Amino acid sequence: MTLLEDLARALAGGSLEIVDLTHTLDPDFPVIVLPPELGQCARFRMEEVSHYDHRGPAWKWHNISMSEHTGTHFDAPSHWVSGRDVANGSVDEIPAGNLMAPAVVIDCSAGSAENDDFELTPDILLEWERAHGSIPAGCWVLMRTDWSHRSGAAYLNMRDDGPHSPGPTPDAVRFLVDERNILGFGTETIGTDAGQGAHYTPPYPAHFYLHGAGKYGLQCLCNLDKLPATGAMLVTPPLKIRNGTGSPLRVLALKET
Ligand code: MN
């Protein structure tokens, strides 16, 4: 038997399950909101071209528009100024071999339920490693917060001083990049950084350190509560947009049942 025959049999037989980590693209799904003097991220929009009618009697189709960073989406290194000169830094240049990789899940759901500004720290990562082993090089690290259970205004959680949502500290991101050489970092929130991530040094440390090192981001993920701490495999191909800095995508996770 070949590896791929074994894979096909495992999928057909149910010993492997595919978990969809993707929110539905919908005009109501929140997008990041920046201070008004800055450029803004566009929501998803869909217009009907025909609906089995005089505009196209036998077919239905739509034109769609959105930001590269709308909905469940991929961040490429060129998204951030620290990654502007990284080789293969836009979505069309990412090697196909980087689009399937193992994932580990760091469960921060209890802390995030008590503190909207919960921080993922190196201590939490080291505690996780004591239970599950060292975070392997080349893997996705997913920060589970159960934030995907929120919707509407509670998702951005905007207050007078800006959005409040969990995220990693600068030291945690540097640990993952410098000490563990991960492939990328994924979250359930609107960005890979905390809502208050502008106040760290450097500002938005996940974007700064990940993309400066050629690493990737995933955000607005869901169903992380259905994944094991280790052993899942992610499939994450963004759209092949020339010079694109990111892309909505369908994120699939394979796990053993
Ligand atoms: Mn993004």
Side-chain angles (χ1 to χ4, degrees), residues 66-228:
M66 73 205 85
S67 167
E68 296 168 326
H69 298 264
T70 295
T72 301
H73 71 276
F74 190 106
D75 277 6
S78 67
H79 179 41
W80 216 251
V81 64
S82 55
R84 65 189 299 170
D85 296 322
V86 164
N88 302 316
S90 54
V91 281
D92 57 314
E93 299 170 324
I94 292 173
N98 286 356
L99 303 181
M100 284 185 66
V104 302
V105 180
I106 314 295
D107 185 359
C108 302
S109 59
S112 301
E114 294 188 347
N115 178 6
D116 290 349
D117 297 306
F118 181 82
E119 293 178 303
L120 174 60
T121 64
D123 281 347
I124 293 171
L125 293 168
L126 291 169
E127 186 185 334
W128 184 95
E129 288 192 331
R130 279 192 287 277
H132 302 287
S134 185
I135 293 169
C139 78
W140 285 102
V141 173
L142 307 179
M143 179 179 177
R144 175 187 164 191
T145 55
D146 290 348
W147 210 258
S148 58
H149 300 172
R150 294 178 175 227
S151 60
Y155 190 72
L156 283 184
N157 200 26
M158 192 69 77
R159 299 182 201 155
D160 288 344
D161 60 352
H164 288 262
S165 54
T169 65
D171 284 348
V173 183
R174 290 178 61 185
F175 174 81
L176 292 172
V177 170
D178 296 339
E179 307 296 328
R180 295 295 179 265
N181 194 24
I182 63 169
L183 181 70
F185 180 73
T187 64
E188 295 181 50
T189 50
I190 203 90
T192 48
D193 275 294
Q196 292 286 293
H199 299 299
Y200 287 124
T201 305
Y204 304 108
H207 285 82
F208 185 86
Y209 289 123
L210 288 167
H211 301 324
K215 311 303 186 187
Y216 311 131
L218 289 170
Q219 44 260 284
C220 307
L221 296 169
C222 61
N223 288 329
L224 296 190
D225 53 347
K226 298 185 172 67
L227 297 187

